[in-house]
Amino acid sequence: MNVAVELFETQAAVKVKNLKIMTFIFSLLALANGALALWIVKKFIINRLRYFESTAKQIVTTKNLTLRTDAKRQDEISKAANAFDRMVDQFLDLNLTTRQLDSQLESKLNDMNILLDQSRKRMTHQQEDLTSVAIAMTQMSSSVQLVAENTQLA
């Protein structure tokens, strides 16, 4: 009976050892799986988010509205990046429109200043003409008064 017990104990020990080995192998596989998942997350998510963030920071610091994220995939990160690019496109269009309107406004203000200068010159000329007319009328009035006085004396 001792042989049977020893055989049973040996088989049990082998099974325990095999179980430990399998547990160790499964632990290694789980660790490798976790490392692979971490690498995938880092490669396909974190690095892309960092590039997205980097592009946004570059736009802010350089004020260069022509920079883009150039996302080519159809996942959620690319959708957000493409929406960001469209928003920057709209900012660029708004900026260009504002510059064009500013240029047009400046041109109209210059035209208005030219017209104001011309009006000032005309008003100054009219004022000089009115002053000349007033002087002439005063002289004529004096002459008429002298003629009237001489007519009364004669």
Side-chain angles (χ1 to χ4, degrees):
M1 262 257 218
N2 261 347
V3 174
V5 171
E6 283 181 24
L7 181 62
F8 179 74
E9 286 177 353
T10 304
Q11 286 177 345
V14 168
K15 286 182 181 180
V16 167
K17 185 177 178 183
N18 286 342
L19 187 60
K20 285 181 181 179
I21 291 172
M22 287 179 63
T23 303
F24 180 72
I25 290 172
F26 283 130
S27 296
L28 285 177
L29 285 173
L31 186 61
N33 238 0
L36 179 64
L38 185 61
W39 178 79
I40 289 171
V41 165
K42 185 175 187 314
K43 172 120 175 106
F44 294 104
I45 296 176
I46 294 174
N47 287 348
R48 291 176 60 219
L49 286 173
R50 284 186 181 147
Y51 179 74
F52 185 11
E53 177 187 24
S54 170
T55 302
K57 283 181 179 178
Q58 278 183 302
I59 290 171
V60 169
T61 57
T62 64
K63 311 273 189 276
N64 182 357
L65 294 176
T66 61
L67 296 174
R68 296 293 176 271
T69 59
D70 294 325
K72 306 231 182 315
R73 298 181 183 161
Q74 293 301 318
D75 59 6
E76 299 304 317
I77 294 173
S78 294
K79 287 178 184 177
N82 289 330
F84 178 81
D85 287 345
R86 285 190 304 275
M87 180 183 70
V88 173
D89 285 338
Q90 289 179 350
F91 284 150
L92 182 61
D93 289 345
L94 182 61
N95 189 330
L96 291 174
T97 301
T98 302
R99 286 182 185 193
Q100 288 171 347
L101 290 173
D102 186 49
S103 177
Q104 290 173 1
L105 181 61
E106 187 175 345
S107 174
K108 297 296 179 187
L109 284 173
N110 286 337
D111 292 347
M112 191 178 214
N113 282 333
I114 290 169
L115 290 173
L116 281 172
D117 284 343
Q118 290 173 349
S119 293
R120 276 191 206 107
K121 288 177 184 174
R122 285 186 194 131
M123 288 175 67
T124 301
H125 185 67
Q126 286 178 349
Q127 186 177 14
E128 290 169 356
D129 287 350
L130 284 173
T131 301
S132 296
V133 168
I135 291 171
M137 287 181 68
T138 303
Q139 289 173 351
M140 284 174 46
S141 175
S142 294
S143 295
V144 168
Q145 196 171 14
L146 276 173
V147 169
E149 286 175 6
N150 284 340
T151 306
Q152 281 181 350
L153 289 174

